[in-house]
């Protein structure tokens, strides 16, 4: 079906995929709020939300409905355009990252191979970095446009924290890229597919990446932009209604996406452990294998989301100077060392 | 007009429009936002020429890091209030002339290059991809590349030395 020199089936296929991924991220983020409260309750020996629906499963819907119907307040002295742009940017950048992630083995629909990946671009992981580095604008603009000193302080904290931890994150990633020899996400997964996962070669790199992911998503122990005992409520203090909801929601989407990226980079992506997918495909068909691989990726990602929550309800937050100290004086040298050692070992083995 | 041409003109309009916004807007925060949009439009142009690496590095370094620092300074100093007095009239005229001279030189330099014929490259030309770019940088241009990295290092050390208290 070609019209105006455009392959429309291709466009429809991608649109369906994008819609599915965005919906998936939203639903996972929604239930992550429920999961967060249940995990918190479990750790603190409580029951957690259990009134709305069976086991409180309708709680996220009730929360969303509440947020939508609350009164929307825009402070008089703030810049209205920037005030609305803040949560919008936070949400958009949170969702954009999912475009280059391979979500599963390719499907076969009507003699057409459909890869479960929106765009397999040459720069793959760098695209993720580009989008993550833009995530800081949501916090900065929101905090500044609120015209409130606490919000501004929180925004500046958030920005400096995210810029500092991006460096260590990139350095720890270079080691993985040296192992793979490509930036393409599909190649990074393909190298680990039915082989040894990258975590076996890069345990230190993974730990650095994980710590930086915590800092990038503003989760405890790095949630200084919203440290309520110092800054009231942080950068979203002046926000109400769904605009506040979008900020909180974007954090959960970021958490989920960073879980997926960690699984993709270090834990084999959609590779089912101890199973040879090619021989499985001959038994149950290609599409079922694609579904199974997708579910595997989800299990890995949700495990990381759980670890994020576990950390939040276990560890108190850092002081800001401790955070900067850890980022610049501990993680960056460690990541550099890890990079150099990896490079030396690779060169030595290849000789 | 096919889709690449459409994209090219769209990106061009966005780039020029937001570049004008940088100069004309009264509030410096809007100027910074305009500059970010300009970087995005230029990155779009790079992608049309299949220079993916350049495009994404432009976004990571300029839109993601340097503009954050710009915004940082503007927010901390609270420059949003239009307190700046009007500059000298002669200074404005001189500035306009200098700017137009630069513009003229750039146009003259680019007039006869092959860029004019090759506005877009779709799926062809892998010079902008990571592999070929890296190979060029670390073989043909390795000396200038290393010299520029030493330059960056010295700039960094200089900043630390100047910034350090006695």
């Amino acid at each position: 079906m070609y019209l105006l020199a455009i392959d429309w089936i291709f466009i429809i296929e991608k649109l369906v995929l994008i819609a599915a991924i965005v919906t998936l991220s939203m639903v996972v983020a929604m239930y992550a709020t429920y999961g967060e409260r249940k995990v918190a309750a479990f750790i603190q020996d409580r029951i957690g939300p259990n009134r709305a629906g069976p086991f409180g499963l309708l709680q996220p819907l009730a929360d969303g409905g509440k947020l939508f119907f609350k009164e929307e307040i825009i402070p008089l002295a703030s810049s209205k355009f920037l005030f609305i742009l803040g949560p919008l940017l936070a949400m958009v950048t949170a969702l954009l990252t999912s475009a280059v992630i391979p979500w599963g083995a390719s499907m076969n629909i009507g003699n057409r191979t459909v890869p479960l990946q929106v765009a397999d671009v040459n720069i793959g992981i760098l695209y993720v970095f580009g989008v993550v580095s833009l995530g800081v604008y949501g916090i900065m603009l929101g905090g500044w446009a609120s015209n409130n000193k606490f919000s501004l302080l929180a925004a500046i904290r958030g920005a400096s924290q995210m810029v500092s931890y991006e460096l260590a994150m990139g350095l720890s990633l270079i080691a993985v890229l040296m192992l793979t020899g490509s930036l393409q996400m599909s190649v990074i997964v393909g190298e680990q597919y039915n082989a040894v996962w990258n975590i076996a070669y890069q345990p230190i790199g993974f730990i650095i990446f994980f710590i930086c992911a915590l800092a990038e998503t503003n989760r405890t122990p790095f949630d200084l932009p919203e440290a309520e005992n110092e800054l009231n409520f942080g950068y979203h203090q002046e926000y109400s209604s769904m605009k506040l909801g979008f900020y909180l929601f974007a954090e959960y989407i970021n958490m989920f996406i960073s879980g997926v990226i960690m699984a993709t980079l270090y834990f084999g992506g959609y590779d089912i452990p101890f199973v040879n997918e090619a021989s499985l495909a001959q038994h149950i068909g290609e599409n079922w294998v694609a579904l199974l691989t997708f579910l595997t990726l989800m299990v890995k990602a949700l495990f990381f989301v759980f670890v994020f929550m576990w950390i939040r309800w276990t560890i108190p937050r850092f002081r800001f100077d401790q955070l900067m100290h850890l980022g610049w004086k501990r993680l960056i040298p460690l990541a550099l060392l890890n990079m150099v050692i990896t490079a030396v070992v690779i060169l030595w083995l290849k000789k | 007009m096919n889709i690449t041409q459409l994209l090219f003109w769209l990106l061009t309009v966005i780039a020029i429009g937001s570049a004008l916004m940088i100069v004309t807007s009264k509030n410096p925060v809007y100027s910074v936002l305009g500059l970010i949009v300009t970087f995005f439009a230029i990155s779009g142009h790079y992608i049309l020429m299949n220079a993916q690496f350049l495009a994404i590095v432009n976004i990571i370094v300029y839109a993601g890091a340097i503009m954050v620092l710009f915004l940082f300074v503007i927010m901390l100093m609270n420059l949003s209030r239009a307190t700046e007095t009007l500059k000298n009239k002669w200074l404005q005229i001189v500035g306009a002339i200098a700017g137009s001279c630069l513009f003229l030189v750039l146009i003259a330099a680019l007039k006869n290059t092959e860029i004019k014929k090759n506005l877009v490259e779709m799926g062809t030309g892998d010079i902008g991809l990571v592999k070929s770019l890296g190979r060029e940088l670390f073989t043909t241009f390795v000396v200038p590349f290393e010299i520029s990295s030493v330059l960056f290092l010295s700039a960094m050390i200089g900043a630390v030395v100047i910034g350090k208290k006695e």
Side-chain angles (χ1 to χ4, degrees):
Chain A
M1 206 164 79
Y2 283 86
L3 193 67
L4 293 170
I6 299 169
D7 183 0
W8 286 96
I9 292 190
F10 175 78
I11 291 188
I12 292 169
E13 171 196 314
K14 291 298 179 197
L15 278 181
V16 169
L17 200 60
I18 292 169
I21 290 171
V22 169
T23 319
L24 174 84
S25 317
M26 295 274 196
V27 170
V28 168
M30 229 166 91
Y31 274 90
T33 61
Y34 169 79
E36 171 103 63
R37 295 163 79 171
K38 276 289 184 192
V39 170
F42 174 71
I43 286 172
Q44 297 171 345
D45 213 3
R46 293 184 284 118
I47 294 173
N50 68 343
R51 284 291 178 266
F55 308 107
L57 274 175
L58 298 179
Q59 187 69 39
L61 288 177
D63 283 342
K66 185 197 83 168
L67 281 171
F68 267 115
F69 288 115
K70 282 231 167 181
E71 187 189 355
E72 210 156 343
I73 299 167
I74 295 179
L76 260 185
S78 70
S79 157
K80 193 178 171 196
F81 173 68
L82 292 180
F83 192 75
I84 295 171
L85 193 68
L88 194 143
L89 270 180
M91 200 69 183
V92 167
T93 49
L95 285 171
L96 266 179
T97 330
S98 55
V100 292
I101 296 169
W103 291 89
S106 46
M107 292 180 109
N108 202 338
I109 302 169
N111 285 331
R112 200 185 160 95
T113 314
V114 181
L116 293 184
Q117 185 179 16
V118 177
D120 190 15
V121 285
N122 187 274
I123 41 175
I125 190 70
L126 280 182
Y127 168 85
V128 175
F129 261 73
V131 175
V132 166
S133 66
L134 295 174
V136 60
Y137 286 114
I139 292 181
M140 276 194 99
L141 288 178
W144 183 77
S146 302
N147 210 6
N148 173 324
K149 286 212 168 54
F150 288 121
S151 301
L152 179 64
L153 272 177
I156 283 167
R157 276 185 175 190
S160 51
Q161 167 185 335
M162 283 168 97
V163 170
S164 323
Y165 277 78
E166 240 164 57
L167 288 172
M169 198 179 209
L171 286 174
S172 70
L173 200 79
I174 289 176
V176 174
L177 297 180
M178 283 193 293
L179 282 174
T180 332
S182 175
L183 297 170
Q184 238 167 318
M185 296 292 258
S186 59
V187 178
I188 294 177
V189 175
E191 287 273 310
Q192 303 174 68
Y193 208 55
N194 295 330
V196 186
W197 292 352
N198 277 341
I199 180 74
Y201 303 117
Q202 286 295 324
I204 300 174
F206 171 69
I207 291 169
I208 298 169
F209 193 90
F210 184 81
I211 295 173
C212 294
L214 278 177
E216 292 287 321
T217 50
N218 291 326
R219 295 286 298 184
T220 327
F222 304 100
D223 63 341
L224 284 147
E226 40 192 294
E228 58 279 86
N229 46 1
E230 303 161 25
L231 294 169
N232 290 343
F233 199 33
Y235 57 92
H236 41 49
Q237 178 165 27
E238 301 289 343
Y239 283 89
S240 64
S241 186
M242 203 54 206
K243 290 207 285 297
L244 170 68
F246 278 143
Y247 267 129
L248 303 181
F249 216 63
E251 182 184 319
Y252 283 94
I253 295 178
N254 275 330
M255 229 162 90
F256 170 58
I257 296 286
S258 57
V260 175
I261 287 172
M262 277 188 280
T264 305
L265 291 178
Y266 292 96
F267 287 85
Y270 52 82
D271 178 31
I272 310 174
F274 312 116
V275 174
N276 190 346
E277 282 85 355
S279 61
L280 191 66
Q282 284 170 352
H283 287 293
I284 59 170
E286 214 174 316
N287 290 349
W288 285 107
V289 171
L291 196 67
L292 279 178
T293 52
F294 166 71
L295 288 177
T296 317
L297 180 67
M298 289 300 286
V299 169
K300 290 174 189 171
L302 291 180
F303 173 73
F304 286 118
V305 173
F306 168 70
V307 175
F308 274 41
M309 292 170 181
W310 185 8
I311 289 173
R312 172 163 181 188
W313 296 102
T314 312
I315 302 175
R317 65 171 70 95
F318 282 116
R319 226 169 45 213
F320 199 71
D321 61 321
Q322 289 173 331
L323 176 141
M324 283 293 158
H325 191 261
L326 178 72
W328 286 98
K329 292 187 182 161
R330 294 277 180 278
L331 287 184
I332 289 180
L334 195 64
L336 273 174
L337 192 72
N338 183 43
M339 191 182 91
V340 170
I341 290 173
T342 312
V344 167
V345 170
I346 287 175
L347 273 182
W348 189 44
L349 288 183
K350 274 202 181 142
K351 193 183 76 183
Chain B
M1 193 181 258
N2 59 12
I3 198 155
T4 46
Q5 270 176 315
L6 211 68
L7 279 173
F8 176 82
W9 288 112
L10 188 73
L11 286 170
T12 310
V13 168
I14 293 175
I16 294 177
S18 51
L20 284 177
M21 196 181 113
I22 305 168
V23 201
T24 52
S25 89
K26 288 256 192 284
N27 189 333
V29 174
Y30 285 99
S31 296
V32 168
L33 291 182
L35 196 50
I36 295 166
V37 176
T38 316
F39 283 138
F40 268 88
I42 291 172
S43 278
H45 278 302
Y46 288 151
I47 288 173
L48 279 184
M49 297 167 115
N50 211 10
Q52 299 183 9
F53 184 72
L54 201 57
I56 200 68
V57 167
N58 187 32
I59 286 181
I60 293 176
V61 174
Y62 286 96
I66 292 182
M67 294 325 288
V68 170
L69 296 181
F70 270 49
L71 213 56
F72 224 91
V73 172
I74 289 171
M75 286 176 177
L76 274 182
M77 297 176 76
N78 213 2
L79 290 173
S80 62
R81 283 175 218 131
T83 47
E84 205 177 341
T85 48
L86 226 63
K87 287 206 176 72
N88 191 344
K89 203 170 87 188
W90 287 106
L91 214 62
Q92 283 178 340
I93 293 171
V94 169
I97 292 172
S100 345
C101 284
L102 181 67
F103 192 59
L104 213 68
V105 169
L106 280 178
I107 287 179
L110 290 175
K111 208 181 64 144
N112 288 326
T113 50
E114 54 178 330
I115 295 170
K116 209 169 67 174
K117 286 162 261 160
N118 263 341
L119 286 180
V120 288
E121 279 196 60
M122 290 304 292
T124 53
D126 57 349
I127 189 71
L129 299 186
V130 185
K131 205 166 236 164
S132 35
L133 203 67
R135 191 169 290 136
E136 281 297 300
L137 274 183
F138 286 102
T139 52
T140 323
F141 299 107
V142 67
V143 177
F145 183 76
E146 291 300 331
I147 288 177
S148 62
S149 59
V150 170
L151 197 69
F152 273 122
L153 189 66
S154 59
M156 253 159 70
I157 294 172
V160 170
V161 169
I162 293 172
K164 216 172 180 178
K165 281 178 196 145
E166 288 302 316

